[in-house]
Amino acid sequence: MSLQQLEERLKKYNEKKEDWALVERAYHFALKAHGDQMRVSGDHYITHPLGVAMILAELELDVVTVVTGLLHDVLEDTMVDYEQLEQEFGEEVAYLVDGATKLSRMEFRSKEEHQAETWRKMFIAMARDIRVILVKLADRTHNMRTLRYLHDAKKREIARETLDIYAPLAHRLGIYKIKWELEDQAFRHLNEKEYYYLVDKLAKKRREREDYIEKMVSILQEKLVENTIEAEISGRPKHIYSIYSKMKEYGKDFNEIYDLTALRIIVNSIKECYAALGAVHTLWRPIPGHFKDYIAMPKPNMYQSLHTTVVCGENELLEIQIRTREMHRTAEYGIAAHWKYKEKVKDNQEFEEKLSWLRQLLEWQQDLKDAHEFIENLKIDLFTDEVFVFTPRGDVINLPAGSIPLDFAYRIHTDVGNHCVGAKVNGRITPLDYQLKTGDIVEIITSKQGGPSRDWLKMVKSSQAKSKIRAWFKKEKREENIHKGKEMLEKETRRLQADHNLLLKEKLLEEVGKKFNLLSAEDVFAAVGYGGVSAHQVISRLREEYNKQYGDDKKQLPPVEIKPWKEGHKTANGIRVEGMENLLVRISKCCNPLPGDSIVGFVTRGRGVSIHRQDCPNIQRVSGEEERFMRVYWEGGSESSYPVEIEVAAMDRPNLLTEVMHAVSESKVNITEVDGRTTKEKIAIIHLSFVVKDLEHLDYIISKVRRVKDVFTVRRTPGYSQENKGGRKPRPDKRGVKH
């Protein structure tokens, strides 16, 4: 890559001398700023920004964006500051560079929180100027091309993030040229063996494939000429990751995948698109269910095309795409082909509508404080698969794949979702957890007395629906949340041996609330009550604020004293019983508590202390014997493992159980028992029992299982012991607690 090559590429679509002078000045500025910095590959650092600028020029973006590509790392990796950059290149360039800069100079509690905040900042900048993300996509594309120089763990981490976030984002923006390269590069580093297996297979069949396509193009060209349709026809080999995805989805070997190449027909008008489709279907038999009209119903990323799969030759499948030249340009360059900065269009309403999904995403995510939840929901919003369903009046609604009628209801209106009590799909009443399919006509049944259930949060797929359900509980359950939050804060102060009368003062709570964007003491209590912020976070800030306001040394709160446990308090289960030593302690099988769960001890007759989760139904049924309850705590540093069971619900298909078990065993846990069944609706219900270290370990495994294709829900269930196989509940004793 050289400056001369960049000049040649830029001047193909922009011959203004002053624009090239600005690019040249930015290059020399970046060269000087990065100085002697080198890349891991051993190349001079300037090769990277030069490569990024070249990718942006290949997308035919404006000169400001190309300049930003050259300067995108100067704020992060050099001594150049924002003011200096603004003075040298103007406010527009400085803003774009800042928007594309990671938050590497800030301190975060975890890597996940750092990633979440980086993405928040970039999406906010994106909403104001889409060029920010175009620069980031070009940056990631060039980094993926040179990823081989990093060590294996770092390569896999970057490749996984690319596949989870950047490739779906390129898809949502319609930039398939970048999407395909990112997917193939990420796949190569995540699964090198499978990647090169497919490369080898494709190379061996290349000549045979080319002869076949040449023959089909000749037949089709003759037919189109016969119908007086002027068209360009070309073969488009499928990229490697899409072939691999199809093999995994259908459980097939490479030799069983026939549509390795697609034909693309480019015509002059929409009318000719449908005429060409008719010509194709008179030549070859179309496969039912494999026709998609993205011209009448464009994808949210502006993609338009007709897709059909036909049987031709010796019963071989051939995928054909038909589109106009303008549609083809949009398919390759996506949002970059239609943006207001380049075309200088005064009325940019259509462009703004194309980015409405981005503003909605920001609106739905703004209440999410938890970094893990933000990242998971972001992946859902960017997920490439979508379904298109209809309202009874014929309006098209697009939703994430796996959406249910509740997602549809909340997309229509918040009140429709909140008062939803049932749904009709294609005229028939269906359960609220029915998975919608493209083409379904959905009608929502509402009731004035209806209201959301907390279970809905686990059922809905779209982050919009989740956000609106949470908002309802915040508002409707405010009094309950305030009471619950106050109790949790008082409990936390007692645990830290502090006086809640000193800390939970209105003035202190209001001051701390400002740091969490909460306006009053009641807002703080409510936020703790519904889980928006943890009690530990609030108490930590309250202690800091108390010491700040009451600075007199005599009034300072003493630091929290962590007393070492006595050896006698330790148990084999990693549990300490308050005030007691050497007691027999056993984990209850009716709820299988894990480190991280809130727990309670119950003194049994002759079998020591039985440990239950606080929300265990058996414990909640006990009344009149409060004296048998004991305060118990998880003891840090325990090396114990704990049994747990999860239930997985998924669409039944070949290899489903294998993939689910692989997702669990990949986390290096021992699977102790597996059981499964299939319902009449072809839903697979799988129960897996295994051992984990703690609740965080379990959450990690559940998140991996949720990523398996066709999985609807994954939930933790009671212990999977012999006595409750087949759906029978654990048997409690006369007093209601299983011993």
Side-chain angles (χ1 to χ4, degrees):
M1 183 61 59
S2 68
L3 187 61
Q4 184 182 354
Q5 288 173 298
L6 178 61
E7 181 180 12
E8 289 171 3
R9 188 67 191 83
L10 184 70
K11 287 186 176 179
K12 283 185 178 180
Y13 67 94
N14 184 347
E15 295 184 353
K16 293 180 183 177
K17 290 182 179 179
E18 62 272 23
D19 283 355
W20 172 247
L22 180 64
V23 172
E24 201 169 19
R25 186 155 60 88
Y27 169 79
H28 290 295
F29 184 89
L31 184 65
K32 183 179 178 182
H34 287 293
D36 297 328
Q37 291 176 4
M38 305 293 284
R39 303 200 83 206
V40 179
S41 62
D43 294 331
H44 196 285
Y45 196 88
I46 194 63
T47 59
H48 172 60
L50 198 55
V52 172
M54 187 65 161
I55 292 168
L56 295 169
E58 286 169 354
L59 291 174
E60 298 190 2
L61 295 172
D62 69 326
V63 68
V64 171
T65 313
V66 176
V67 166
T68 302
L70 286 166
L71 300 170
H72 76 277
D73 274 337
V74 296
L75 291 182
E76 184 177 350
D77 295 331
T78 76
M79 300 303 291
V80 174
D81 59 23
Y82 186 93
E83 288 71 23
Q84 187 180 350
L85 194 62
E86 185 179 18
Q87 185 178 357
E88 193 73 30
F89 293 98
E91 184 183 355
E92 192 177 10
V93 170
Y95 172 78
L96 291 176
V97 173
D98 183 55
T101 299
K102 294 176 185 174
L103 306 185
S104 53
R105 294 175 185 172
M106 292 179 67
E107 293 183 8
F108 296 95
R109 287 187 295 275
S110 67
K111 184 173 182 181
E112 194 168 50
E113 185 178 346
H114 179 282
Q115 185 187 38
E117 289 305 319
T118 300
W119 279 99
R120 279 186 207 271
K121 180 182 179 185
M122 282 190 356
F123 273 81
I124 290 167
M126 241 174 98
R128 285 178 57 190
D129 197 321
I130 194 65
R131 292 175 292 182
V132 169
I133 209 64
L134 297 178
V135 173
K136 284 302 294 181
L137 284 171
D139 178 34
R140 180 52 59 108
T141 303
H142 189 262
N143 279 331
M144 291 302 292
R145 290 175 183 175
T146 56
L147 198 61
R148 63 186 180 277
Y149 296 106
L150 300 179
H151 59 77
D152 287 347
K154 191 66 178 174
K155 276 195 296 192
R156 291 183 66 82
E157 180 188 332
I158 293 172
R160 172 51 58 194
E161 184 186 47
T162 300
L163 208 53
D164 285 347
I165 302 287
Y166 284 92
L169 184 54
H171 172 89
R172 286 304 297 262
L173 295 173
I175 312 173
Y176 289 93
K177 186 176 181 179
I178 283 182
K179 177 205 172 192
W180 292 330
E181 180 175 354
L182 290 177
E183 285 181 339
D184 279 356
Q185 291 280 10
F187 175 47
R188 174 184 165 196
H189 293 288
L190 287 171
N191 200 332
E192 194 173 346
K193 185 178 177 183
E194 290 281 0
Y195 176 83
Y196 284 108
Y197 166 78
L198 290 176
V199 168
D200 183 56
K201 287 284 187 182
L202 285 168
K204 287 178 181 176
K205 283 198 166 189
R206 183 178 174 184
R207 185 66 238 171
E208 179 187 328
R209 245 182 10 259
E210 286 175 350
D211 290 344
Y212 169 68
I213 285 298
E214 195 176 319
K215 181 182 175 183
M216 294 302 109
V217 167
S218 177
I219 294 169
L220 186 54
Q221 188 76 63
E222 191 178 321
K223 188 70 176 177
L224 292 176
V225 169
E226 185 185 313
N227 286 270
T228 64
I229 300 170
E230 186 185 330
E232 294 175 17
I233 308 174
S234 60
R236 179 186 69 82
K238 291 201 170 181
H239 65 297
I240 295 168
Y241 183 71
S242 72
I243 296 171
Y244 174 76
S245 298
K246 185 165 279 193
M247 288 168 60
K248 295 288 284 183
E249 181 179 357
Y250 298 109
K252 292 183 176 182
D253 186 60
F254 176 83
N255 296 320
E256 298 175 274
I257 304 292
Y258 297 105
D259 54 337
L260 296 174
T261 308
L263 279 186
R264 182 177 291 142
I265 302 172
I266 299 177
V267 294
N268 295 318
S269 66
I270 292 176
K271 182 181 177 181
E272 287 184 344
C273 286
Y274 290 99
L277 178 70
V280 169
H281 285 176
T282 56
L283 264 179
W284 301 303
R285 179 168 56 87
I287 297 178
H290 283 253
F291 168 68
K292 292 174 183 174
D293 187 346
Y294 292 119
I295 293 179
M297 290 192 299
K299 291 186 177 184
N301 60 20
M302 302 179 297
Y303 178 86
Q304 288 184 289
S305 201
L306 296 176
H307 288 198
T308 185
T309 303
V310 295
V311 181
C312 57
E314 297 177 3
N315 285 327
E316 293 190 6
L317 302 183
L318 180 65
E319 184 184 304
I320 297 174
Q321 300 173 351
I322 307 168
R323 60 178 71 142
T324 66
R325 284 177 174 78
E326 183 60 30
M327 290 174 191
H328 180 61
R329 178 176 170 76
T330 300
E332 291 290 303
Y333 300 113
I335 203 93
H338 283 272
W339 63 327
K340 57 188 175 185
Y341 305 101
K342 182 178 174 185
E343 299 182 349
K344 305 293 182 187
V345 178
K346 290 181 181 179
D347 181 12
N348 53 45
Q349 184 180 352
E350 184 183 353
F351 179 86
E352 294 297 335
E353 286 174 2
K354 301 301 183 186
L355 288 179
S356 61
W357 65 270
L358 170 61
R359 287 174 179 79
Q360 287 176 344
L361 182 149
L362 282 169
E363 180 187 329
W364 303 333
Q365 305 287 1
Q366 64 185 355
D367 290 333
L368 295 180
K369 306 291 183 191
D370 181 70
H372 175 76
E373 193 175 0
F374 176 81
I375 291 295
E376 287 303 310
N377 282 356
L378 182 60
K379 289 175 185 176
I380 291 170
D381 284 316
L382 297 178
F383 199 65
T384 54
D385 292 335
E386 292 172 311
V387 292
F388 297 86
V389 296
F390 296 90
T391 68
R393 301 169 77 176
D395 296 326
V396 181
I397 304 292
N398 66 293
L399 295 164
S403 290
I404 61 176
L406 283 170
D407 292 290
F408 175 88
Y410 278 105
R411 179 63 62 88
I412 298 301
H413 195 276
T414 304
D415 286 341
V416 174
N418 286 341
H419 295 103
C420 174
V421 292
K424 286 184 180 180
V425 178
N426 303 324
R428 299 178 62 182
I429 291 179
T430 58
L432 288 177
D433 60 355
Y434 165 82
Q435 282 214 355
L436 298 173
K437 301 178 183 67
T438 294
D440 282 345
I441 301 171
V442 188
E443 183 181 350
I444 300 298
I445 303 167
T446 59
S447 167
K448 289 182 180 178
Q449 284 73 42
S453 160
R454 287 196 183 273
D455 291 337
W456 289 7
L457 286 169
K458 299 173 186 175
M459 293 163 58
V460 293
K461 181 73 174 177
S462 65
S463 57
Q464 178 192 21
K466 288 182 180 179
S467 175
K468 290 182 176 180
I469 293 166
R470 284 195 194 95
W472 187 89
F473 279 105
K474 283 183 200 174
K475 183 179 177 183
E476 298 296 321
K477 303 285 183 178
R478 182 171 172 80
E479 290 303 319
E480 183 184 319
N481 286 330
I482 289 172
H483 180 71
K484 183 180 176 184
K486 193 171 183 179
E487 281 188 347
M488 290 169 70
L489 288 172
E490 287 178 356
K491 183 178 177 182
E492 182 69 10
T493 55
R494 286 196 298 271
R495 189 182 74 80
L496 297 174
Q497 300 166 4
D499 185 351
H500 70 269
N501 292 317
L502 286 177
L503 287 180
L504 302 185
K505 291 180 177 179
E506 187 171 349
K507 185 180 176 183
L508 288 175
L509 286 164
E510 286 177 357
E511 200 59 41
V512 166
K514 292 175 185 175
K515 295 172 183 175
F516 297 102
N517 295 320
L518 303 168
L519 301 177
S520 67
E522 285 193 346
D523 288 343
V524 176
F525 290 139
V528 173
Y530 69 73
V533 61
S534 73
H536 179 74
Q537 283 178 301
V538 173
I539 294 299
S540 296
R541 293 290 179 92
L542 282 170
R543 290 178 64 88
E544 291 173 14
E545 193 61 36
Y546 178 91
N547 287 334
K548 181 179 169 185
Q549 290 194 21
Y550 303 97
D552 189 338
D553 290 341
K554 293 178 182 178
K555 294 183 179 179
Q556 286 265 330
L557 290 175
V560 178
E561 186 181 354
I562 312 265
K563 296 180 180 178
W565 304 133
K566 293 180 182 177
E567 193 64 36
H569 285 196
K570 289 187 178 178
T571 71
N573 293 314
I575 291 170
R576 183 173 74 91
V577 181
E578 188 178 75
M580 299 287 180
E581 297 183 18
N582 302 321
L583 281 179
L584 176 62
V585 175
R586 54 188 294 276
I587 301 288
S588 173
K589 290 183 180 178
C590 63
C591 57
N592 277 342
L594 299 175
D597 284 326
S598 297
I599 53 174
V600 64
F602 187 84
V603 180
T604 63
R605 304 193 189 281
R607 301 186 66 187
V609 179
S610 177
I611 307 299
H612 296 258
R613 293 197 337 232
Q614 283 191 344
D615 59 356
C616 175
N618 287 336
I619 282 294
Q620 291 176 356
R621 284 197 291 266
V622 175
S623 61
E625 295 189 82
E626 282 71 18
E627 72 279 357
R628 293 177 66 184
F629 286 101
M630 302 197 72
R631 295 184 69 178
V632 291
Y633 306 99
W634 293 108
E635 188 168 29
S638 171
E639 296 297 323
S640 300
S641 293
Y642 303 86
V644 71
E645 180 205 333
I646 62 171
E647 179 185 274
V648 181
M651 184 65 73
D652 192 27
R653 62 171 172 82
N655 295 324
L656 173 67
L657 180 60
T658 305
E659 290 178 33
V660 170
M661 290 183 67
H662 178 68
V664 176
S665 58
E666 226 182 13
S667 304
K668 299 180 181 176
V669 298
N670 181 32
I671 299 175
T672 57
E673 197 163 356
V674 182
D675 185 44
R677 61 187 173 86
T678 305
T679 67
K680 292 178 182 178
E681 293 79 23
K682 298 295 181 185
I683 303 299
I685 307 296
I686 303 168
H687 289 93
L688 285 148
S689 295
F690 46 89
V691 292
V692 294
K693 296 175 184 175
D694 52 31
L695 192 59
E696 188 178 350
H697 191 192
L698 174 62
D699 287 342
Y700 171 74
I701 294 169
I702 287 176
S703 71
K704 292 201 69 163
V705 175
R706 281 186 179 134
R707 292 191 191 115
V708 175
K709 185 171 178 59
D710 293 327
V711 168
F712 309 148
T713 59
V714 185
R715 68 183 185 92
R716 180 181 174 186
T717 60
Y720 196 63
S721 56
Q722 290 297 324
E723 65 185 68
N724 69 346
K725 266 189 181 180
R728 294 190 297 274
K729 292 180 179 179
R731 187 176 64 253
D733 71 355
K734 292 178 183 178
R735 303 184 189 279
V737 177
K738 183 177 177 295
H739 288 213

